[in-house]
């Protein structure tokens, strides 16, 4: 996981529910990205567990999380400027 993704993951893990929802909205996540992020962050599910639940590969889940964290990082970056 690259540094920007790590920063975004740490940020989103430590936000309030309102901040979480606002960030997800501002990041313009797809419904699938939001579902995966919710399972990963709010339900603390592993990538393997998410893949099993969604009947897809772990690679797919990992790629979606990476794209999601990059979108969240972009929102974080624009908020800080």
């Amino acid at each position: 996981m690259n540094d920007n993704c790590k920063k975004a993951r740490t940020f989103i893990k430590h936000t309030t529910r309102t901040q979480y929802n606002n960030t997800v909205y501002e990041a313009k996540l797809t419904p699938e990205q939001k579902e995966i992020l919710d399972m990963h962050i709010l339900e603390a599910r592993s990538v393997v567990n998410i893949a099993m639940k969604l009947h897809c590969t772990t690679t797919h889940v990992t790629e979606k999380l990476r794209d999601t964290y990059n979108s969240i990082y972009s929102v974080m970056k624009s908020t800080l400027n």
Side-chain angles (χ1 to χ4, degrees):
M1 181 179 289
N2 71 37
D3 205 38
N4 294 346
C5 289
K6 287 179 185 177
K7 289 176 186 176
R9 183 182 62 191
T10 300
F11 170 79
I12 204 73
K13 278 185 166 184
H14 295 93
T15 60
T16 65
R17 187 57 188 251
T18 301
Q19 291 170 321
Y20 178 92
N21 290 335
N22 290 340
T23 303
V24 166
Y25 176 78
E26 287 180 44
K28 298 180 176 141
L29 301 181
T30 66
E32 182 184 29
Q33 286 175 314
K34 184 176 180 334
E35 180 181 23
I36 290 171
L37 183 67
D38 287 350
M39 284 192 274
H40 192 61
I41 299 296
L42 300 179
E43 299 174 19
R45 291 179 183 243
S46 69
V47 169
V48 172
N49 186 275
I50 294 168
M52 288 173 53
K53 182 164 174 39
L54 298 179
H55 307 288
C56 64
T57 65
T58 56
T59 303
H60 179 77
V61 173
T62 302
E63 289 172 356
K64 289 298 177 182
L65 281 172
R66 184 194 63 228
D67 294 344
T68 300
Y69 289 137
N70 282 327
S71 296
I72 290 170
Y73 183 76
S74 295
V75 169
M76 289 171 45
K77 206 166 98 175
S78 67
T79 305
L80 295 174
N81 290 335

